[in-house]
Amino acid sequence: MATPILYIGNKNYSSWSLRPWLALKWGGIAFEERIIPLGGEGYGKSKIKDVLAVSPSGRVPALHLNGAIINDSLAICEWAAEQAPSLWPRDPMARALARSAAAEMHSGFAALRNDLSMNIRRRMTSAPKISDDAHADIARLFELWIGLRETQGAGGAYLFGARSIADAMYAPVATRLRTYAIPTPSIVQAYCDTIFA
């Protein structure tokens, strides 16, 4: 099998690119990384053309694998888990719950993502004014993380004890909480510190 090629945007800004990159790294899967700069000076039709050349959806990430293109973060993570099964919990119920948590991130938290855009390097000194919907997303996020760490964490530092795709899906959210100085309960902060480490 040829070495997979993962086309991504800048990991500082592209949460969707960061997620499968983490899964592939954590799974110990060899791959070639190719970054397509998104946004900024000179961004326009030529860069959009660059993305369309590697991804039929016109979005990154896109994993090129033996002539096939997998062009969705969660789908790439699922492929990675087939190569490295440890990326999901071993227990069937825990695995189902981890997939549920990952899918909730994949399809939810729109207000949080809209109000608190990704910028890992940025640091605000106080939390900005955000919408009621974003506050509701943050409350749900804390409820989910605390519940999973208390019921599934098995004393480990991650959501399901050991590092998993669920953690890869939420790692960019942890960086957003830090970027925007969002106050966090201690158990949430401990989880974020684990992700940053």
Side-chain angles (χ1 to χ4, degrees):
M1 176 174 85
T3 301
I5 301 171
L6 181 66
Y7 290 90
I8 59 174
N10 182 319
K11 293 184 290 286
N12 186 64
Y13 304 112
S14 178
S15 60
W16 296 112
S17 293
L18 179 59
R19 291 174 170 111
W21 183 88
L22 285 171
L24 292 168
K25 286 286 189 181
W26 292 349
I29 299 165
F31 68 99
E32 182 181 334
E33 174 185 333
R34 295 194 187 163
I35 298 174
I36 299 176
L38 304 174
E41 189 175 328
Y43 187 74
K45 289 183 181 179
S46 65
K47 290 297 176 190
I48 293 169
K49 186 177 169 184
D50 290 346
V51 175
L52 284 169
V54 299
S55 176
S57 70
R59 298 170 189 259
V60 289
L63 182 71
H64 285 226
L65 180 66
N66 294 331
I69 300 172
I70 304 169
N71 60 330
D72 174 85
S73 295
L74 192 52
I76 295 167
C77 289
E78 286 285 6
W79 176 85
E82 290 176 0
Q83 316 314 304
S86 64
L87 286 169
W88 286 123
R90 175 176 277 157
D91 176 75
M93 182 54 70
R95 190 167 55 249
L97 292 170
R99 282 192 163 113
S100 177
E104 184 172 352
M105 180 64 249
H106 192 260
S107 64
F109 300 101
L112 184 155
R113 293 195 318 261
N114 184 63
D115 288 14
L116 307 175
S117 61
M118 173 105 159
N119 186 338
I120 294 172
R121 291 188 296 260
R122 184 177 185 192
R123 296 290 184 280
M124 295 184 72
T125 56
S126 61
K129 182 172 173 54
I130 59 174
S131 67
D132 290 344
D133 288 342
H135 278 292
D137 279 355
I138 291 169
R140 170 59 188 147
L141 179 75
F142 292 172
E143 173 189 44
L144 178 67
W145 286 1
I146 292 168
L148 290 175
R149 291 209 56 217
E150 288 177 346
T151 63
Q152 301 298 315
Y158 295 95
L159 296 177
F160 291 85
R163 193 168 55 185
S164 73
I165 287 171
D167 301 299
M169 293 299 288
Y170 284 102
V173 180
T175 72
R176 284 173 159 100
L177 298 176
R178 178 178 64 184
T179 294
Y180 294 98
I182 303 297
T184 57
S186 59
I187 190 170
V188 168
Q189 189 57 53
Y191 174 64
C192 291
D193 291 343
T194 295
I195 292 295
F196 303 149

